[in-house]
Amino acid sequence: MPRRRTQEERREETRARLLRATVEALRDQGLTRMTTPDIARRAGVSRGALTYHFASREDLLVDSIAWLLDQATAGLRKLCDAYPAPTMPIEALVDYLWDMMAGGLFQVTMEFLPEARHNAPFRERLLPVVREFHAALDASWTRLSAVAGIPREEAQVSLNATMCLIRGMIAQNVLRNDPAYYAAMLDWWKRQLRGWLGQDAGGAARPLPAPILAAFAVAEPPRQRLVRERARRQAGGG
């Protein structure tokens, strides 16, 4: 007989379904168009279940974004484990970043940034997980640059330039769906980075870890720190 799930396991599974459904709704409908009834339908739960797990729409948003950024951070660390620093070709990291951002992370980011700009408490709740994501991104890039003997400050500039290029291409894709156009720019940029790192063309080919928004198919529990913070607020602890 299969083992029966505990009540806690069922609760975490329901929360994970709601988090994933919220991220999908942000990506597909946008923040202003998505509704909590639609999120409940996507997750296959009742409105009552949604309000039981999340006291407010903002709580649901914060935990969902935190869940997505946690997935992104884990994916970057997995990539570093798959390619120890001396063997990681720059193409592997740039291709992974493109897949991660174009796969939905950038679109979701563009939905919640305007709210974070005008809602200071919302912004403050997101800052810790955003910092963790950027720290993982920086660590991935530093592994490559350290092998080439490149100063950290210069490495950070090249990372920021790469991310700005990727974000700009994805934003332009809204009105120009032209894969060859973006592939040509990305290939040109990878050649510049190879020269900067002193890498030969055509590093050893191997499968990359699954891009981040395979994360939409993976149910994981939310960040425990955010859960504790919300519980403290609801208990009147500030």
Side-chain angles (χ1 to χ4, degrees), residues 20 29 40 48 68 88 107 149 159 161 169 191 200 207 214 228:
R20 187 169 63 251
Q29 297 173 276
L68 179 61
M88 180 187 284
Q107 291 88 340
L159 169 61
M169 289 195 294
R191 289 196 298 273
D200 295 328
R228 288 196 301 272

Side-chain angles (χ1 to χ4, degrees), residues 90-107:
I90 189 62
E91 287 91 341
L93 183 50
V94 174
D95 287 343
Y96 187 83
L97 293 176
W98 171 263
D99 287 344
M100 178 181 73
M101 298 295 286
L105 181 57
F106 178 75
Q107 291 88 340

Side-chain angles (χ1 to χ4, degrees), residues 142-198:
T142 299
R143 288 193 184 194
L144 281 171
S145 57
V147 171
I150 294 168
R152 183 180 181 86
E153 295 78 9
E154 186 178 343
Q156 288 175 330
V157 170
S158 69
L159 169 61
N160 293 336
T162 300
M163 294 302 292
C164 286
L165 174 67
I166 288 173
R167 293 185 188 107
M169 289 195 294
I170 299 170
Q172 188 180 12
N173 188 57
V174 173
L175 297 177
R176 180 169 180 171
N177 184 10
D178 186 349
Y181 171 75
Y182 303 111
M185 281 193 286
L186 208 57
D187 286 344
W188 180 86
W189 184 243
K190 285 187 282 191
R191 289 196 298 273
Q192 314 314 306
L193 291 172
R194 274 203 309 269
W196 173 70
L197 289 167

Side-chain angles (χ1 to χ4, degrees), residues 87-152:
T87 65
M88 180 187 284
I90 189 62
E91 287 91 341
L93 183 50
V94 174
D95 287 343
Y96 187 83
L97 293 176
W98 171 263
D99 287 344
M100 178 181 73
M101 298 295 286
L105 181 57
F106 178 75
Q107 291 88 340
V108 172
T109 300
M110 291 305 293
E111 293 300 327
F112 70 75
L113 277 181
E115 180 66 16
R117 178 187 173 197
H118 298 290
N119 183 338
F122 179 70
R123 180 173 64 249
E124 290 302 314
R125 293 174 67 185
L126 287 177
L127 283 176
V129 289
V130 171
R131 289 192 191 104
E132 287 182 22
F133 168 67
H134 284 287
L137 190 59
D138 184 59
S140 306
W141 205 262
T142 299
R143 288 193 184 194
L144 281 171
S145 57
V147 171
I150 294 168
R152 183 180 181 86

